[in-house]
Amino acid sequence: MAQEQQNQAQNGLSGDGTGTAVTGAGTSHDQRTAAGENAQTLTTRQGHPLTNNQNLRTVGNRGPATLENYQFLEKISHFDRERVPERVVHARGAGAHGVFEAYGKVGDEPIEKYTRAKLFNTPGKQTPVFVRFSTVGHGGHSPETLRDPRGFAVKFYTEDGNWDLVGNNLKVFFIRDAMKFPDLIHSQKPDPVHNRQTGERIFDFISNTPEAMHMVAFLFSPWGIPANYRQMQGSGVNTYKWINAQGEAVLVKYHWEPLQGIKNLTAQEAEAIQAKNFNHATQDLFDNIKAGNFPEWELCVQIMSDDEHPELDFDPLDDTKIWPQDQFPFLPVGKMTLNKNPENYFAEVEQSAFGTGVLVDGLDFSDDKMLQGRTFSYSDTQRYRVGTNYLQLPINAPKKHVATNQRDGQMTYHVDSAPGQNVHVNYEPSSLNGLKEAPRTAPEHTPLYTGRLVRQTLDRTNNFKQAGERYRLHEDWERDDLISNMVGALADADRKVSDKMVELCTNCDPDWGQRLADGLQKARSGKTAEGGNQYNESKAADAVAQAEAVGHEAKPY
């Protein structure tokens, strides 16, 4: 009987067979009510009807309160704990539900030639998705106008389980080796002493990490401040693999191209927007979906044979590089439409959890060292942040059969067992009616590896070529903004840091280095440094003094 009730619960039925009501957050509740209750009756978490939610139980109406105020203790203790630790990165976010529709081809070719992943294989096939957009380095309530990469994470609820495509709006990253990731993030976070983010700290790290120059060419230009989430690109950033039915692999990169177009902001434009609304991107996404103006992105891939490609002047696994489109064209594979807002931000957006290791059959990892480091870090973060059983939450749970031998842990609320399974057996293999392995229907991908175990960087670093090309591809106003923002961030930095940055920019393009050097000289000769307040220490200090000078006096009360 207990097993039957458990199976009913997993199938969306209450224990007495009367059915459930499903809330917007995806949770289900028994609809039984006590005498005098209806569906809107307020209760405790234990289901006790509340007749007075306005007052503590006290000795007289002035107090003191008594310790056995269970209703209050439950309410306030939950309130004390209603914020999980925010993400160390990507803390500020917005999200939406939608659908991905496959084209059934990759470009003009049958997609089965390259991958056996089922979500791509049929024209018009639809897969539910949830997307979380975010800033990266700032806290959960920071302005959405700050200069920062933007996260672009998509959870596909496929018939074979979840696939998470976790990326950013920019197509490159600061570093190519996961060993440096904590240092990168620490340099972008506030100073551990005075708790302020500074340009000196950021560029101190970058000036000693020349592979970051390609990212600098994007981040400190208007591309570092997207106008909103709807009108920005997305990229998987890292290199992945596709595996076909024969177990053969190709390298792939993923790109989301917005059908609404792309819009970015200068620092001055962003400051003006921030003065009016520091939640503008979240509001833009929510309001457009609510109005039926559903944003759409086309998913494109670049495909490359799975080898080292010595003909290229960079390593194709290097995530600080872009694969040139003239050699590796964008091939469309499907379209994503976001058409439903969350009904509860915390349950759906804050508790949504993504990981670069969440792949389905037909998709695989490349040897990208940054990707392999992220694959451990992302899911491990969710186990710490949301909890051991974060995959049982509706927003994260696959929309299909789940049966595991994983048990217990904080906040377990159901057991991943199967109908008819011997509930005494939580291990495998077993002859006593436990869970069984799935049959293999296609060969494993089995790449061959030979080489020494080393701690070395890639052979073809080529840190400056694509950064210089990006500088020259910028329009004049984008180059002007890039120089202005870098000058603003470096004007008050230690000369060792700014001199190194001038040298690195010169290596990318002599004009870039000369303009940065000229701008710094003017700023240091007494003229106001340009650039946004985010990294500009002089303008930040002016704001501190201005607040005291223009503040209106008030009498104490």
Side-chain angles (χ1 to χ4, degrees):
M1 181 62 180
Q3 181 64 52
E4 180 183 0
Q5 289 177 332
Q6 177 179 307
N7 294 340
Q8 289 176 331
Q10 291 177 340
N11 290 327
L13 298 176
S14 64
D16 63 356
T18 58
T20 62
V22 179
T23 70
T27 53
S28 55
H29 296 286
D30 196 314
Q31 288 295 287
R32 293 174 297 176
T33 55
E37 284 186 292
N38 60 38
Q40 282 72 47
T41 298
L42 184 65
T43 73
T44 69
R45 292 307 269 293
Q46 301 283 15
H48 307 154
L50 290 177
T51 58
N52 188 330
N53 192 46
Q54 317 306 316
N55 306 105
L56 286 166
R57 197 175 190 185
T58 57
V59 179
N61 60 21
R62 297 181 64 243
T66 56
L67 184 61
E68 39 55 89
N69 265 278
Y70 179 84
Q71 172 191 341
F72 168 74
L73 294 177
E74 181 192 82
K75 185 177 182 180
I76 197 67
S77 61
H78 179 84
F79 174 78
D80 293 344
R81 294 163 173 81
E82 69 181 22
R83 291 292 176 267
V84 300
E86 73 176 29
R87 292 164 167 87
V88 177
V89 289
H90 299 279
R92 174 69 194 252
H97 298 269
V99 63
F100 174 77
E101 182 173 330
Y103 295 159
K105 293 183 177 181
V106 54
D108 295 324
E109 295 187 279
I111 204 160
E112 292 85 353
K113 177 180 177 181
Y114 299 105
T115 179
R116 61 186 187 233
K118 296 175 188 174
L119 80 156
F120 292 126
N121 64 10
T122 304
K125 187 171 192 172
Q126 295 193 342
T127 300
V129 298
F130 181 78
V131 179
R132 187 177 187 271
F133 303 107
S134 58
T135 57
V136 175
H138 304 282
H141 294 285
S142 56
E144 292 180 302
T145 46
L146 298 180
R147 185 171 308 283
D148 209 3
R150 300 302 194 267
F152 195 126
V154 183
K155 186 180 296 293
F156 297 78
Y157 301 97
T158 86
E159 63 194 275
D160 284 330
N162 289 351
W163 169 35
D164 290 351
L165 180 52
V166 188
N168 290 334
N169 65 316
L170 301 175
K171 299 178 186 295
V172 296
F173 201 54
F174 294 92
I175 53 176
R176 61 170 69 97
D177 194 304
M179 182 66 80
K180 300 169 76 170
F181 189 71
D183 302 293
L184 164 68
I185 299 303
H186 285 174
S187 75
Q188 298 196 11
K189 289 288 189 178
D191 184 289
V193 177
H194 57 60
N195 199 38
R196 299 195 313 275
Q197 189 185 40
T198 68
E200 180 178 86
R201 287 168 50 80
I202 292 168
F203 279 110
D204 183 31
F205 178 86
I206 289 174
S207 67
N208 289 286
T209 312
E211 71 243 41
M213 289 306 296
H214 198 184
M215 183 59 138
V216 169
F218 279 104
L219 184 60
F220 282 83
S221 79
W223 289 86
I225 312 179
N228 52 58
Y229 295 130
R230 291 180 306 111
Q231 294 174 299
M232 71 179 193
Q233 294 170 294
S235 170
V237 180
N238 295 107
T239 303
Y240 289 84
K241 287 183 181 181
W242 272 2
I243 313 298
N244 66 13
Q246 291 74 47
E248 300 163 338
V250 291
L251 301 178
V252 296
K253 285 213 171 194
Y254 298 102
H255 304 277
W256 292 107
E257 297 302 313
L259 301 185
Q260 300 76 237
I262 303 168
K263 288 190 175 181
N264 301 314
L265 300 170
T266 66
Q268 291 73 22
E269 291 163 347
E271 284 183 13
I273 292 167
Q274 181 177 320
K276 299 174 183 176
N277 184 351
F278 66 89
N279 305 293
H280 82 283
T282 293
Q283 183 172 345
D284 174 89
L285 180 68
F286 190 96
D287 288 354
N288 273 279
I289 292 175
K290 184 178 180 181
N293 182 25
F294 301 144
E296 298 176 329
W297 287 260
E298 188 167 59
L299 180 61
C300 299
V301 297
Q302 290 176 286
I303 296 178
M304 185 186 295
S305 60
D306 185 15
D307 52 69
E308 296 183 6
H309 288 271
E311 76 280 5
L312 299 175
D313 60 8
F314 64 94
D315 192 306
L317 301 184
D318 184 350
D319 66 356
T320 70
K321 302 295 188 293
I322 290 175
W323 294 1
Q325 286 192 52
D326 58 344
Q327 295 174 259
F328 309 98
F330 280 24
L331 304 173
V333 297
K335 184 176 73 172
M336 177 174 70
T337 304
L338 298 184
N339 54 21
K340 182 178 182 296
N341 282 315
E343 295 185 22
N344 182 276
Y345 179 87
F346 182 83
E348 297 167 76
V349 181
E350 184 63 22
Q351 291 196 133
S352 62
F354 300 84
T356 57
V358 184
L359 306 175
V360 295
D361 184 54
L363 313 179
D364 211 337
F365 309 98
S366 75
D367 300 332
D368 181 343
K369 294 189 286 185
M370 189 66 202
L371 172 61
Q372 294 180 350
R374 291 176 74 203
T375 293
F376 170 77
S377 177
Y378 275 59
S379 293
D380 188 57
T381 293
Q382 306 304 344
R383 295 183 193 102
Y384 160 73
R385 189 182 69 89
V386 184
T388 308
N389 290 293
Y390 74 97
L391 289 173
Q392 292 188 348
L393 296 174
I395 192 63
N396 298 319
K399 298 183 185 297
K400 65 171 294 293
H401 159 82
V402 173
T404 77
N405 286 322
Q406 296 176 13
R407 297 290 184 268
D408 310 335
Q410 188 178 44
M411 299 298 286
T412 298
Y413 65 91
H414 66 77
V415 178
D416 297 333
S417 58
Q421 177 188 349
N422 184 345
V423 294
H424 299 282
V425 177
N426 60 346
Y427 50 87
E428 191 280 329
S430 169
S431 301
L432 303 176
N433 197 28
L435 300 177
K436 304 294 183 184
E437 293 176 323
R440 174 158 291 284
T441 58
E444 288 253 23
H445 172 54
T446 56
L448 176 66
Y449 293 100
T450 58
R452 294 188 179 277
L453 198 62
V454 298
R455 295 179 183 271
Q456 296 176 356
T457 192
L458 301 173
D459 291 330
R460 289 168 285 168
T461 55
N462 206 351
N463 293 321
F464 307 119
K465 180 182 177 182
Q466 289 197 7
E469 290 172 345
R470 172 45 51 186
Y471 176 79
R472 292 185 289 276
L473 284 170
H474 281 322
E475 297 182 26
D476 289 344
W477 67 277
E478 291 176 313
R479 279 193 293 272
D480 293 344
D481 195 59
L482 170 65
I483 299 300
S484 172
N485 293 322
M486 291 189 70
V487 169
L490 285 165
D492 298 299
D494 189 288
R495 289 295 291 263
K496 293 191 294 291
V497 174
S498 60
D499 288 350
K500 272 190 174 184
M501 286 308 305
V502 169
E503 178 184 349
L504 293 181
C505 292
T506 302
N507 289 339
C508 298
D509 186 282
D511 180 69
W512 188 356
Q514 187 62 56
R515 290 187 63 183
L516 178 60
D518 292 345
L520 289 170
Q521 183 177 6
K522 289 179 182 178
R524 288 169 177 155
S525 65
K527 297 181 179 179
T528 302
E530 296 297 327
N533 286 331
Q534 184 179 353
Y535 305 122
N536 192 314
E537 289 290 291
S538 297
K539 291 176 75 174
D542 289 345
V544 172
Q546 183 180 4
E548 181 178 8
V550 305
H552 298 275
E553 292 188 3
K555 295 179 179 179
Y557 63 90

